[in-house]
Amino acid sequence: MIRKWWKESVVYQLYPRSFKDSNHDGIGDLKGIIQKVDYLSWLGIKAVWLNPIYDSPNDDMGYDIRHYEKIMNEFGTMDDFDELLEKLHQHDIKLIMDLVVNHSSDEHQWFLESRKSKDNPFRDYYIWKKGNNTKEPNNWASFFTPSAWTYDDNTDEWYLHLFSEKQPDLNWENPTLREDIYSMINRWLDKGVDGFRMDVINLIAKKVGLPDATKSEDGPYVFADEHFAMQPKMHEHLQEMRERCFKHRDSMCVGETPFVTTKNALSLVESGKELDLLFHFELMDIDSRNGKWDYIPFDIVKFKQLMISWQKAIPWNSLFWSNHDQPRAVSRFGDDSNELNRVQSAKMLGVAMHFLKGTSFIFQGEEIGMTNYPFSKTEELRDIESLQFMKNAVQGDFVDFAWRGILKKGRDNARTPMQWNDSLYAGFSDVLPWINVNTNFKTINVEQAMRDSNSILHFYKRLIELKSTSLTLIYGDFEPLFVDNDSFFVYKRSYKLEQIVVICNMTKEIKFLEYPDEWRSHSMILSNTFNDGNQFQPYEVRVLMINSNHA
Ligand code: ISL
Ligand code: CA
């Protein structure tokens, strides 16, 4: 067991646009975050991951970067950034930045140069190709637009973009580009940032020759992850980046790695020469069939199998229920249809996930049980993915299906403003925010949760304290129990002589679990119901400390 700060820190993912507005323009900003550092410190979190705060035209809310070393005007200035970093560090909170280097904005200087001519020194910073007669160079689909290619008549070539046409993919084959990226990373690290969350970092290498995707799907464009995810060259690039930027630093790198499975995940984190941590998406895909919009109900048994297999697959997991791309956890995996179930299921989910072995990531608002937004019309949406999807739905005449998908899975569910209090606009801003505040802010907000000692917030504070101080919950071995039970998620964590057992009723019904008598006589260190015995209330959770001599 190697001790690391990032194993002992609960990370808070903060979406700056929606956290706190300090200057009355309806957009969250760095000064707003500075005002809330005391709150983060009170909550007990030890690291913050900030979604992108760099200069950007916001085609994809900051994931389209125009300048890697400037702060987005709406968010403030570099002075504000320095102040935020200093204040976080004063409170013993590390800062993890988003690193978006699979693509840049089409307004980045590099791309403006690149598109000028075929012999421009920056031409090769991006991926340009001749068309296939009058058509795209290959059949690859993009995440946001039908085709992954856009034609540029200036040079009569097409450029690749796995995301929107304003997010051209960078060409990692180009060593000069790579060096530029490493220098940029090093300048941020030298400034004092403590690590990076690396956006779609396992997509940076594309198969040489960019062959057609072979999967059969309806329509002309096909997801080519076989040719752009987890390519051998990606490992080389990650190792080089590690050498150049991270080797002699005590920093943390967590890769966002879609398409990763339990079979190939180890290759990224095993050697310590690439990433420290990764985010896989197998849990996020659990309630869909053909792509994210095709919703199917959440299955507890599948959930258990998945979590258990990941606990076994890699030595250190990233634990999260949601992020800025996902719906709200309590609406998705718990029950937000009534207040009691919302509170109970949010607490149970918190324990079920965060007491597993790995680094916990809490997405802003999770700690007060914020819910999905009841969107009623397209005009309320802001997210490019949702808007593109609705556009296609109108053309393809599947609007009802699409709208159901938006309500269940739309990314804007996670992006509504943080609910601080019950004043107009929930204390996020005093003017109309860039995206609507959830209608339930009068009852679900931080101030009210602070007053209520039984709130999700107080429960999370305790959970975070345990997760960042108990060596058993941090480093202890994981052992699943009652594996075949289809209602309860039960597991044990053990470290030296100490054992902690977690019992979660994941259903909205009263359930019974015959568990060993010797567990009963020991202390309950966390629970959401004052209860003992074999009967469990809906979403009841119990965390028991077991003296190993008796277990
Ligand atoms: O959000 C998704 C599906 O709804 C994911 O497929 C997502 O696009 C993928 O995980 C990559 O996400 C990251 O890169 C995107 C950006 O839009 C996301 O916000 C970011 O988390 C492009 O930079
Ligand atoms: Ca603002």
Side-chain angles (χ1 to χ4, degrees):
M1 169 195 103
I2 306 163
R3 288 187 74 161
K4 290 279 183 195
W5 65 262
W6 46 264
K7 295 182 178 175
E8 302 180 15
S9 304
V10 172
V11 185
Y12 191 87
Q13 183 196 343
L14 195 156
Y15 196 70
R17 181 165 288 269
S18 301
F19 196 60
K20 172 72 188 159
D21 172 25
S22 74
N23 64 344
H24 325 287
D25 63 356
I27 297 173
D29 46 59
L30 299 183
K31 279 207 157 45
I33 304 173
I34 292 171
Q35 292 171 13
K36 296 294 182 185
V37 170
D38 290 336
Y39 167 73
L40 300 173
S41 175
W42 172 85
L43 193 56
I45 64 109
K46 296 280 168 51
V48 167
W49 150 29
L50 286 186
N51 284 105
I53 56 167
Y54 314 98
D55 176 41
S56 163
N58 283 312
D59 186 54
D60 183 20
M61 295 306 163
Y63 282 94
D64 47 321
I65 297 175
R66 185 162 48 201
H67 197 303
Y68 286 100
E69 292 171 73
K70 280 192 187 148
I71 302 295
M72 193 189 302
N73 274 337
E74 290 166 331
F75 289 175
T77 63
M78 195 55 90
D79 284 344
D80 297 336
F81 174 82
D82 292 339
E83 189 184 332
L84 173 62
L85 181 62
E86 195 183 326
K87 183 148 187 201
L88 287 170
H89 283 169
Q90 278 163 4
H91 285 78
D92 279 325
I93 299 173
K94 308 264 192 199
L95 179 61
I96 293 156
M97 300 281 279
D98 223 302
L99 182 76
V100 190
V101 290
N102 174 70
H103 45 269
S104 73
S105 164
D106 66 339
E107 297 179 32
H108 193 291
Q109 199 58 43
W110 293 339
F111 192 75
L112 297 179
E113 287 297 320
S114 183
R115 77 187 324 170
K116 277 186 186 159
S117 68
K118 288 184 188 168
D119 53 13
N120 187 285
F122 290 91
R123 183 66 172 182
D124 243 12
Y125 272 48
Y126 296 86
I127 301 170
W128 291 97
K129 241 189 143 178
K130 275 231 137 329
N132 194 349
N133 295 320
T134 55
K135 294 216 323 262
E136 292 87 357
N138 68 25
N139 66 353
W140 293 11
S142 137
F143 285 78
F144 294 159
T145 54
S147 165
W149 295 93
T150 290
Y151 179 69
D152 196 38
D153 53 12
N154 189 34
T155 52
D156 186 30
E157 286 194 338
W158 302 69
Y159 65 87
L160 179 73
H161 54 89
L162 294 183
F163 295 89
S164 92
E165 65 264 19
K166 286 186 66 63
Q167 294 169 294
D169 280 53
L170 288 161
N171 176 19
W172 277 74
E173 291 283 306
N174 180 343
T176 325
L177 162 90
R178 296 204 302 273
E179 291 307 328
D180 278 353
I181 289 176
Y182 304 149
S183 317
M184 175 272 286
I185 292 174
N186 276 318
R187 284 190 291 272
W188 281 107
L189 290 167
D190 291 344
K191 232 174 173 346
V193 313
D194 302 287
F196 290 96
R197 172 272 188 188
M198 302 178 170
D199 193 61
V200 290
I201 200 68
N202 63 329
L203 311 190
I204 56 178
K206 280 80 182 173
K207 186 165 286 168
V208 181
L210 309 173
D212 273 339
T214 55
K215 276 192 233 167
S216 60
E217 262 171 47
D218 311 335
Y221 307 112
V222 180
F223 259 112
D225 45 294
E226 56 182 322
H227 299 321
F228 64 65
M230 299 299 283
Q231 301 297 306
K233 268 279 170 73
M234 171 214 63
H235 290 293
E236 285 176 32
H237 299 327
L238 287 181
Q239 286 165 23
E240 186 182 75
M241 179 156 78
R242 187 91 189 181
E243 280 287 321
R244 291 280 203 292
C245 306
F246 301 104
K247 200 171 170 200
H248 301 292
R249 303 187 196 253
D250 186 23
S251 49
M252 177 257 240
C253 300
V254 50
E256 191 217 20
T257 53
F259 310 107
V260 158
T261 66
T262 49
K263 298 212 166 55
N264 57 14
L266 206 52
S267 68
L268 289 163
V269 290
E270 182 180 34
S271 64
K273 290 181 184 153
E274 298 186 15
L275 301 171
D276 299 307
L277 293 158
L278 58 83
F279 292 123
H280 70 78
F281 287 91
E282 293 202 319
L283 175 59
M284 299 295 115
D285 295 337
I286 199 168
D287 51 359
S288 54
R289 213 165 10 200
N290 299 309
K292 73 179 263 179
W293 306 110
D294 190 10
Y295 172 79
I296 55 171
F298 166 57
D299 180 313
I300 295 168
V301 174
K302 244 174 33 184
F303 165 77
K304 290 174 60 171
Q305 286 164 351
L306 196 72
M307 298 321 278
I308 293 168
S309 66
W310 274 97
Q311 288 286 297
K312 292 182 177 158
I314 51 174
W316 202 262
N317 272 268
S318 303
L319 307 169
F320 69 102
W321 276 119
S322 72
N323 61 37
H324 65 292
D325 293 333
Q326 300 294 332
R328 288 283 174 183
V330 68
S331 305
R332 184 181 189 180
F333 301 111
D335 179 13
D336 65 3
S337 66
N338 67 69
E339 187 56 12
L340 180 63
N341 280 3
R342 183 185 73 87
V343 172
Q344 291 300 83
S345 63
K347 292 175 179 176
M348 180 279 294
L349 290 172
V351 170
M353 177 65 68
H354 298 301
F355 283 180
L356 290 168
K357 187 170 184 173
T359 298
S360 294
F361 292 81
I362 292 175
F363 179 63
Q364 78 182 34
E366 176 181 332
E367 76 277 24
I368 53 169
M370 278 177 63
T371 64
N372 281 352
Y373 183 90
F375 293 103
S376 62
K377 48 181 188 297
T378 321
E379 292 69 44
E380 289 174 336
L381 301 173
R382 296 290 176 271
D383 166 33
I384 181 169
E385 184 193 44
S386 299
L387 289 166
Q388 294 277 2
F389 178 56
M390 285 313 294
K391 205 169 100 190
N392 295 340
V394 172
Q395 282 161 8
D397 201 20
F398 55 96
V399 174
D400 288 349
F401 166 85
W403 195 252
R404 185 161 153 259
I406 296 285
L407 291 174
K408 287 279 186 198
K409 293 285 182 67
R411 306 200 296 183
D412 282 330
N413 282 304
R415 300 179 181 183
T416 64
M418 183 67 185
Q419 292 160 213
W420 294 104
N421 59 40
D422 64 4
S423 68
L424 186 63
Y425 311 129
F428 162 73
S429 180
D430 48 18
V431 302
L432 186 68
W434 70 279
I435 187 171
N436 283 348
V437 174
N438 199 304
T439 45
N440 59 24
F441 72 98
K442 293 260 177 211
T443 46
I444 304 177
N445 63 66
V446 172
E447 244 174 57
Q448 116 75 32
M450 286 264 185
R451 282 194 298 268
D452 172 6
S453 60
N454 276 321
S455 65
I456 301 167
L457 182 63
H458 285 288
F459 187 91
Y460 256 74
K461 182 172 158 60
R462 176 77 181 126
L463 177 158
I464 291 167
E465 186 187 358
L466 286 166
K467 182 62 191 270
S468 32
T469 54
S470 156
L471 289 178
T472 306
L473 290 177
I474 300 170
Y475 294 108
D477 291 336
F478 165 84
E479 183 192 342
L481 301 165
F482 297 93
V483 177
D484 297 326
N485 190 294
D486 59 7
S487 306
F488 285 90
F489 186 35
V490 187
Y491 58 86
K492 182 155 73 178
R493 303 289 313 276
S494 23
Y495 181 74
K496 298 192 173 154
L497 291 181
E498 191 172 279
Q499 301 191 321
I500 293 176
V501 171
V502 172
I503 310 174
C504 306
N505 173 6
M506 297 203 72
T507 76
K508 59 173 87 175
E509 283 124 44
I510 292 179
K511 295 280 176 181
F512 294 84
L513 186 77
E514 297 289 339
Y515 65 87
D517 269 345
E518 56 267 31
W519 292 5
R520 233 175 291 276
S521 49
H522 297 287
S523 62
M524 184 110 79
I525 55 176
L526 192 62
S527 82
N528 60 357
T529 315
F530 299 94
N531 204 0
D532 203 351
N534 294 333
Q535 180 180 304
F536 286 74
Q537 292 305 303
Y539 298 114
E540 181 169 346
V541 59
R542 297 180 201 168
V543 183
L544 310 165
M545 172 80 79
I546 291 183
N547 181 332
S548 66
N549 298 325
H550 297 103

